[in-house]
Amino acid sequence: MSNTVKRSIFGILFIAVMLAGLLINKYGYAALMLFILVMMMHEFLHMTVGKKFLLCRILAIVAGVILYCTTFAIIAFNLPTKFVAVPLLPFAVLMSASLYSHDRGDFRDFSHVLASLLYIALPISLANLIVFDDFGVFNGELMLAFFIIIWASDVGAYVFGMSLGQKFGKKLFPEISPKKSWIGFWGGILSSMLAGLILSLTGFLPFGIIHCMVLGAIMGVSGVYGDLFESMWKRSSDVKDSGSIIPGHGGLLDRFDSSLFAIPVGVLYLILFNLV
């Protein structure tokens, strides 16, 4: 099987799984996001610390799962907000466990374990804020619209970058990602704004055209930084892909690196303008 065919088949399967998880019900959504969270944290920790800190790596993932589940329960089932303190227990145990490292180099590496919570678990947990209304009713369409904007930006950046960016213009961050160009960057932003416009006109995004296009622009820009941020981690860890769970596409962190920056920025924009 050629790489192009493999990428196409598993790309379609990936989209099908995402659609099912986002649109069926809140339990399917929770299961999908928890799987993504656990796998991304596992890939990140494997990439940065390898086989060290087994107990701490497990505790970090447990803390991330508890953070997500607590946030989900507070919003979906009107659980008292005081329960948001529950994830602090495994987090405190995690930090205490680091004290048993007698090597200063190992202790510095331990910071990657803590980074996995801030970098992955927190943004995924914040996504719960836009899939439930004030009464705890689930609607995954807004999250799907977010992913459509992010995917449109990625596709636009790739098309413009490969067709024009490799021949004309300057590179965006050549020391981090040699193939990314300014032409690809602006192509991605235009594509994400166009996606926002179409989603507004079709009623898929229930906001005004200006809001939807601005949302597309800021999510497009933040998504680029999310992509570059993960590229920096991979370069510093001397790996090409974060994993191999999706044949032809790499790991889940490779697929959701843009989302980890773009989704929190999109959520913050909607909250600031009282749109959710």
Side-chain angles (χ1 to χ4, degrees), residues 110-130:
F110 180 79
S111 62
H112 297 141
V113 179
L114 299 178
S116 68
L117 288 165
L118 180 63
Y119 176 38
I120 297 170
L122 184 59
I124 297 296
S125 299
L126 287 175
N128 285 314
L129 293 173
I130 61 168

Side-chain angles (χ1 to χ4, degrees), residues 43-97:
E43 291 174 358
F44 177 80
L45 292 170
H46 179 74
M47 177 174 65
T48 55
V49 300
K51 296 182 179 180
K52 294 190 294 185
F53 312 125
L54 175 60
L55 176 60
C56 291
R57 284 187 283 126
I58 293 173
L59 285 172
I61 293 175
V62 169
V65 169
I66 293 175
L67 175 63
Y68 179 86
C69 290
T70 304
T71 308
F72 180 87
I74 289 173
I75 300 173
F77 303 111
N78 293 316
L79 193 72
T81 54
K82 62 184 179 181
F83 282 96
V84 76
V86 172
L88 293 178
L89 178 59
F91 187 71
V93 174
L94 172 63
M95 290 189 292
S96 299

Side-chain angles (χ1 to χ4, degrees), residues 53-274:
F53 312 125
L54 175 60
L55 176 60
C56 291
R57 284 187 283 126
I58 293 173
L59 285 172
I61 293 175
V62 169
V65 169
I66 293 175
L67 175 63
Y68 179 86
C69 290
T70 304
T71 308
F72 180 87
I74 289 173
I75 300 173
F77 303 111
N78 293 316
L79 193 72
T81 54
K82 62 184 179 181
F83 282 96
V84 76
V86 172
L88 293 178
L89 178 59
F91 187 71
V93 174
L94 172 63
M95 290 189 292
S96 299
S98 70
L99 299 177
Y100 291 91
S101 173
H102 300 292
D103 184 277
R104 290 186 178 183
D106 282 348
F107 189 78
R108 285 192 293 268
D109 287 342
F110 180 79
S111 62
H112 297 141
V113 179
L114 299 178
S116 68
L117 288 165
L118 180 63
Y119 176 38
I120 297 170
L122 184 59
I124 297 296
S125 299
L126 287 175
N128 285 314
L129 293 173
I130 61 168
V131 295
F132 294 98
D133 62 17
D134 293 337
F135 303 99
V137 178
F138 173 76
N139 184 351
E141 291 185 1
L142 182 53
M143 181 57 66
L144 177 57
F146 269 30
F147 279 118
I148 289 173
I149 289 174
I150 295 167
W151 294 336
S153 177
D154 289 344
V155 171
Y158 178 81
V159 171
F160 279 89
M162 293 302 293
S163 61
L164 298 174
Q166 302 304 311
K167 299 178 182 179
F168 311 101
K170 296 182 178 180
K171 300 298 181 181
L172 187 60
F173 273 95
E175 68 279 10
I176 299 176
S177 186
K179 292 184 178 181
K180 285 184 172 57
S181 64
W182 279 103
I183 292 178
F185 171 81
W186 290 114
I189 303 306
L190 289 174
S191 298
S192 61
M193 293 178 67
L194 178 61
L197 173 62
I198 294 173
L199 290 168
S200 177
L201 293 175
T202 57
F204 206 78
L205 270 179
F207 315 121
I209 290 177
I210 299 299
H211 276 307
C212 291
M213 293 186 70
V214 172
L215 187 65
I218 63 173
M219 289 183 68
V221 172
S222 55
V224 171
Y225 279 96
D227 191 317
L228 290 168
F229 189 69
E230 196 231 357
S231 294
M232 179 69 87
W233 280 111
K234 290 193 293 186
R235 185 168 290 273
S236 65
S237 301
D238 196 26
V239 298
K240 182 178 183 295
D241 296 318
S242 66
S244 57
I245 190 172
I246 309 176
H249 290 266
L252 284 184
L253 188 55
D254 295 321
R255 301 280 65 79
F256 289 97
D257 52 1
S258 301
S259 305
L260 292 174
F261 277 39
I263 289 176
V265 168
V267 170
L268 181 60
Y269 179 85
L270 296 182
I271 291 174
L272 287 176
F273 286 93
N274 200 30

